[in-house]
Amino acid sequence: MIPQSFIQDLLARTDVADIVGRYVTLKKAGINFKGLCPFHGEKTPSFIVSPSRQTYHCFGCGVHGNALGFLMEYGGLGFVDAIIELAQMQGMQVPDDNISPQERDRQKQVKEKQVSLTDVMAKAAQHWKQQLKKSPRAIAYLKGRGLTGEIAARFALGYAPDSWRGLASAFPQYDDPLLVESGLVISHEAQSGEEEGKRYDRFRDRIMFPIRNPQGQVIGFGGRVLDKGEPKYLNSPETPVFVKGRELYGLFEGRSALRNKGYAIVTEGYMDVVALAQWGFGNAVATLGTACTADHAQKLFRFTDQVVFSFDGDAAGRRAAGRALEAVLPHATDTRRISFLFLPAEHDPDSYIREYGPEAFEECVKKAVPLSRQLIEHASADCDLDSAEGRARLLVQAVPLLSQFPEGALQGLIADELAQTARTSPDEIRRRLSEHAAQQQARQAGGGFRAERGAGARERRQDDNANPDWGPDAPPDDSHIPHFEPDGTNEAWADVYSEQDVTPYAPPESSTSFTKRPWKKNWEPRGNTRWQSRGTPAAVRPPPQAATPLDRIVWALVANSAFWEHLPASTHDLLCDQPAPYGDFFRWLDRLLLDQGHIDTEVLTRMMKGDTEDPEHPGESGHFQALARRIAHFHDVPDDKDTVESLISLIRPLELVALQEELKMLLQSGDELSEAAEARKIELIRQTNQMKLEISQSRPISG
C-alpha cells in the first residue's frame, strides 16, 4: 500500500503545468495557462491549467483533475500506475512497507529492462518509417488501400525491406541481446562447425504497424505482407512489455476520437483500424490476433462507457463475438452500453467502408445488436426453442452467463427477457441464478473467495471508476474530493482519528446512488451539478472542534435519514464530494439507504460507532466513531418539512463555494477562450448571484 503522506508529498513537488505541458501546447492566460483540450476536438482553447490550484479543467467537455488525474485520464493509467509514473518523473522512489529490499531491487531492474526494450523498438519504428519513404512499392500498396500520407504518419506506419539483416543499418551492434529479447531479431544456436548461430530480422518485406501502449511507447509490431504470402499478419512475440491479451492496437492514436464519438469500435485487424480512421472513425481499436479478453474490456472502459464489437457475419465472426461477450459480462454495469455489429460475411470494416462509405457504416453501428439480445442469441444458438428440451437447454446455457453480470437493473431486465424466450417465469430464472450462485460459493469456499451473488453481492458490485490495479488494502478512491475547503482551515483541529484509533473509511464499490445515478459522471454545463476532480487524492482530515455546517448536515440526516431522499441529485453529488470524513459518510449513508431504506436514528448511530453491524456489509460499520461522538450532544431534530428546508439552507453555502471556485478559474484565465467557456462564465455569474440572493433571503432578520 502506498502511504497517503507520500502521495501528498509527490503532488506538492509536482507542477501540474509541467506535467500537462509535456502533452499539450500551453500558452499563458492571465495567471493560468490555456490550450486545446487533449480530450475532445476543439479549435479555440477551453482547457485551463491553474498553477495556483494545481488543477486542470476543460470548460468544453468537463474533464478536471490534478497531475495524477491527468496521467490517469490522458494515458488510461490506473491509480497506482499513475503514482509510479509521476514519481519517476520527479525522481522519487515509491515506498511500500510490504515490499522487501530484494523485491524492490527486482522491480527496479524490471523497469530498467522495460525502458531499454521500448527504446529499441522506438528506434526500429523510426527506421522502418524512413524505409517506407524510400519504397515506391510499399507507398503504392498503401495508396491502393485508400490511405493518405497523413493517416500513415498518424499511425507511424513503416516498411521492413526484403532483407535478412535490414536492421543492421539501424543497429550497428546487430548482436545486441535486446534485439532478440524485443522480438525484432531471430537468433538460432550455432550448429556443429559454425562459430555463431544464424541471426536475421523477424520482419521482412512487410508493412509495419507499430503497437503503442496508452502512453505512446512502442511495445510491439504487426507486419502485413504486401502480396500473397503466409502468414498474412505477423506479430511480435510476447515480451516483458508486450502481452497480446492486454493490448489494443490504435488505443493511443484514438483517445481523442473515443471521447468525441463517445464509443469505441473493436475490430479484428490493424488495417480495419487504420482504414476506419481514414474515413472519420478514429475511435476504432483492434485486438492483436487474439480473442477479446477481460483485460481488453477493462482497459477500454477506462476510456469510454460504450463499446461496439465489429465482427464478420460468418461462423468465425460469430465465435469471436461469443468470446467477446463472455469477456465483457463482468464489466456490463447498468451505465455501460455494449453492442455487437455483424457485417455481411464477405466484408470486414475496411472493405465495407471503402465500398459503401462512412454514412452506411454509421447506420450499421446504430443498428448493432445490444448485449441483452446478443446474450440470449448466443445461449440459444443450438437450441430448438419450439421444444421443451431446447428451452431447458437454453436456461442451462444462459444462466451461467447471466450470473456474471454485476448485480443491478440490467441483470434483472435480461432475466425477464430470458424468461419470456424460455416460456417460463422470472421467478424461475431468479431461482436458478440463486442456485448457481450457491454452487459457485461452495466451490470457492475452500479458497476463501466471496460468492458473486447472494447476501454479499453488493460488495462485489462493479464500480464504473473502480481501479483494477488496487489490491484489498488499497487506498480509498479520493479522486472526487475537491481542492478547496468548504469549511475553511482550523489549525486547532484535534487528531480525532488517531485518538480513537479508527481506520479511515474506504468508500464501498457502489456503482449507483440512491437515485440510481452513477456517482462519478462527467461535468455538464447546466444546473448546479458539480464538476468533478478526477484522480485528486486528498488527505483524510479530522473534523474541527467547533460544529461546522457539515456537522449539522450529518446531524440532521442521522436524526432523519429519510431527508436524504428529498434532496436533489446534484446535492447528493455535492455532499459526496466533500472532504473526508464527511464525503465518505454521505456515500456510506447513500449506500445504506439504497440497500435498506429509512434507518432509525438509534440504529444508524450504533452502526456509525460499530456497536451494530451492517447486515449487508459486515465489517463496514464503526468507521465514523468520531462523527458519532461529535453529534452526540446536538439537540433532537424535529420531524417536519421545515427541517428539510433548514437542511437545504445549510447546503446552499457549499454550493456557492463550488460555483465561486469554478468561476474564479475562468476569470483568472484571460480572454480568447472558447465559446463554451465564455458561455459557462456568464452562466456561473448568474448562478452565483442567484445563490447569494437565496442565501441572504434565507437568513433570519434580527430585530
Side-chain angles (χ1 to χ4, degrees):
M1 177 177 176
I2 302 175
Q4 192 72 20
S5 58
F6 173 80
I7 299 174
Q8 293 302 312
D9 185 31
L10 176 62
L11 288 172
R13 299 187 187 193
T14 301
D15 183 359
V16 68
D18 176 58
I19 301 301
V20 176
R22 299 181 182 214
Y23 309 94
V24 180
T25 301
L26 299 175
K27 296 182 180 179
K28 193 71 174 175
I31 67 171
N32 298 324
F33 294 90
K34 65 183 179 182
L36 298 179
C37 180
F39 304 114
H40 80 287
E42 62 177 6
K43 296 182 179 180
T44 53
S46 59
F47 184 78
I48 305 299
V49 178
S50 172
S52 60
R53 293 177 179 79
Q54 285 299 300
T55 61
Y56 66 90
H57 185 83
C58 178
F59 292 90
C61 67
V63 294
H64 176 89
N66 63 0
L68 274 179
F70 183 83
L71 292 177
M72 293 170 67
E73 189 79 15
Y74 187 81
L77 297 177
F79 182 74
V80 174
D81 288 339
I83 292 175
I84 295 173
E85 183 81 12
L86 188 59
Q88 289 174 346
M89 292 180 183
Q90 302 302 319
M92 299 174 66
Q93 179 69 42
V94 178
D96 192 329
D97 297 336
N98 299 324
I99 297 180
S100 65
Q102 294 80 5
E103 176 63 17
R104 187 172 287 111
D105 289 341
R106 189 194 68 81
Q107 291 182 359
K108 182 179 179 181
Q109 293 174 4
V110 169
K111 185 62 181 178
E112 291 174 350
K113 175 58 68 68
Q114 291 174 339
V115 171
S116 299
L117 290 174
T118 54
D119 286 345
V120 166
M121 285 187 276
K123 188 174 182 180
Q126 184 63 32
H127 169 73
W128 284 326
K129 187 176 180 180
Q130 296 299 322
Q131 294 301 310
L132 175 62
K133 298 178 181 179
K134 302 176 182 178
S135 174
R137 175 167 162 266
I139 293 174
Y141 172 81
L142 294 177
K143 287 183 176 180
R145 298 297 297 263
L147 302 183
T148 64
E150 180 182 359
I151 207 71
R154 175 179 168 186
F155 285 88
L157 302 186
Y159 172 67
D162 190 8
S163 171
W164 287 96
R165 297 170 67 95
L167 285 175
S169 60
F171 297 93
Q173 292 183 326
Y174 192 71
D175 58 350
D176 188 342
L178 283 175
L179 294 178
V180 176
E181 192 169 356
S182 64
L184 297 175
V185 169
I186 296 175
S187 178
H188 293 288
E189 293 184 1
Q191 301 296 321
S192 59
E194 296 180 344
E195 293 185 3
E196 61 179 20
K198 294 181 179 179
R199 181 181 290 257
Y200 53 89
D201 292 1
R202 179 181 299 273
F203 300 99
R204 304 179 304 280
D205 194 25
R206 290 177 179 268
I207 297 294
M208 299 303 298
F209 298 82
I211 302 166
R212 295 188 270 202
N213 62 18
Q215 294 75 53
Q217 297 170 314
V218 180
I219 56 175
F221 294 93
R224 192 196 191 285
V225 294
L226 276 72
D227 303 313
K228 294 182 180 180
E230 293 295 336
K232 179 192 291 186
Y233 283 98
L234 179 64
N235 294 320
S236 290
E238 294 197 349
T239 68
V241 297
F242 177 54
V243 179
K244 296 177 184 178
R246 297 177 186 171
E247 304 300 336
L248 289 161
Y249 177 71
L251 186 58
F252 172 76
E253 293 82 0
R255 291 166 305 164
S256 296
L258 283 172
R259 292 179 174 87
N260 292 337
K261 288 280 190 179
Y263 66 94
I265 302 174
V266 182
T267 67
E268 297 182 89
Y270 301 97
M271 192 58 75
D272 291 330
V273 172
V274 179
L276 287 174
Q278 175 75 63
W279 288 89
F281 292 88
N283 53 324
V285 299
T287 54
L288 303 173
T290 64
C292 180
T293 67
D295 287 334
H296 287 145
Q298 196 171 66
K299 183 166 289 189
L300 272 175
F301 286 125
R302 290 182 183 178
F303 292 86
T304 181
D305 284 333
Q306 297 186 39
V307 176
V308 179
F309 290 97
S310 177
F311 299 102
D312 299 343
D314 56 14
R318 293 284 173 178
R319 289 193 297 270
R323 292 191 291 269
L325 181 142
E326 294 176 8
V328 300
L329 288 181
H331 305 279
T333 64
D334 293 348
T335 58
R336 290 171 177 164
R337 179 181 172 186
I338 302 166
S339 52
F340 296 80
L341 166 62
F342 295 99
L343 296 172
E346 67 274 14
H347 281 294
D348 56 25
D350 174 24
S351 63
Y352 188 91
I353 201 168
R354 282 192 286 122
E355 181 168 344
Y356 297 104
E359 294 80 9
F361 187 79
E362 183 76 49
E363 285 301 314
C364 290
V365 171
K366 292 179 180 178
K367 296 176 182 177
V369 179
L371 175 65
S372 56
R373 192 188 312 162
Q374 179 62 24
L375 182 145
I376 296 177
E377 290 183 3
H378 176 66
S380 62
D382 56 351
C383 300
D384 178 11
L385 299 183
D386 291 329
S387 68
E389 292 84 355
R391 294 192 294 274
R393 182 181 178 88
L394 166 63
L395 293 180
V396 170
Q397 295 179 166
V399 167
L401 297 175
L402 190 57
S403 68
Q404 296 182 46
F405 277 83
E407 189 173 277
L410 181 59
Q411 186 193 45
L413 293 171
I414 297 178
D416 293 341
E417 290 187 13
L418 177 61
Q420 291 181 358
T421 304
R423 302 181 197 175
T424 187
S425 68
D427 289 341
E428 172 65 14
I429 303 298
R430 286 164 174 76
R431 182 188 68 79
R432 287 174 175 264
L433 282 173
S434 298
E435 288 181 354
H436 182 80
Q439 293 171 0
Q440 292 296 105
Q441 188 173 19
R443 294 191 190 101
Q444 297 172 352
F449 293 104
R450 194 184 302 272
E452 291 290 336
R453 296 295 177 266
R458 293 184 185 87
E459 290 186 10
R460 300 292 299 273
R461 191 178 296 166
Q462 295 292 326
D463 190 324
D464 290 354
N465 296 279
N467 192 324
D469 296 322
W470 292 356
D473 299 324
D477 179 2
D478 292 324
S479 61
H480 49 277
I481 298 178
H483 290 275
F484 57 86
E485 302 289 347
D487 302 319
T489 301
N490 188 338
E491 297 295 334
W493 285 2
D495 192 358
V496 179
Y497 277 142
S498 298
E499 176 185 330
Q500 293 288 324
D501 193 25
V502 176
T503 302
Y505 172 65
E509 295 187 357
S510 175
S511 63
T512 56
S513 70
F514 189 82
T515 56
K516 309 295 185 182
R517 292 154 49 101
W519 275 130
K520 296 190 70 177
K521 57 184 181 299
N522 289 336
W523 171 83
E524 299 177 4
R526 63 173 184 267
N528 294 325
T529 303
R530 282 286 315 285
W531 42 277
Q532 305 292 337
S533 176
R534 300 189 179 187
T536 309
V540 175
R541 69 179 193 191
Q545 292 298 308
T548 68
L550 282 170
D551 289 324
R552 297 185 180 278
I553 294 169
V554 171
W555 167 53
L557 290 171
V558 169
N560 193 330
S561 60
F563 291 161
W564 181 260
E565 189 174 1
H566 295 289
L567 299 176
S570 59
T571 302
H572 288 172
D573 294 340
L574 176 65
L575 292 177
C576 290
D577 279 349
Q578 296 306 306
Y582 300 105
D584 295 340
F585 169 79
F586 294 127
R587 288 189 299 278
W588 177 73
L589 177 65
D590 177 80
R591 200 267 302 150
L592 279 179
L593 298 179
L594 178 63
D595 289 344
Q596 304 177 31
H598 172 65
I599 302 175
D600 180 75
T601 302
E602 184 177 350
V603 174
L604 184 56
T605 303
R606 289 202 303 266
M607 292 173 70
M608 292 174 67
K609 294 179 179 179
D611 297 335
T612 298
E613 282 193 350
D614 176 356
E616 294 289 341
H617 298 265
E620 285 190 7
S621 302
H623 289 287
F624 301 105
Q625 294 182 20
L627 275 179
R629 188 179 69 174
R630 289 183 57 76
I631 66 174
H633 303 294
F634 284 17
H635 295 294
D636 292 337
V637 180
D639 185 10
D640 54 32
K641 291 184 179 180
D642 290 339
T643 304
V644 177
E645 295 175 0
S646 300
L647 180 60
I648 292 177
S649 70
L650 288 171
I651 297 170
R652 285 284 185 263
L654 303 180
E655 295 176 338
L656 178 60
V657 170
L659 292 172
Q660 288 175 330
E661 285 293 315
E662 190 178 351
L663 177 60
K664 188 183 297 183
M665 178 178 282
L666 271 174
L667 293 175
Q668 292 175 342
S669 300
D671 301 323
E672 298 181 6
L673 298 175
S674 67
E675 292 183 4
E678 292 293 343
R680 182 59 179 164
K681 183 192 300 183
I682 295 173
E683 177 63 16
L684 285 171
I685 292 173
R686 185 192 67 78
Q687 290 185 15
T688 301
N689 291 334
Q690 181 180 346
M691 187 70 68
K692 288 180 179 179
L693 180 61
E694 291 179 6
I695 292 174
S696 64
Q697 290 176 342
S698 66
R699 290 173 178 166
I701 301 175
S702 60

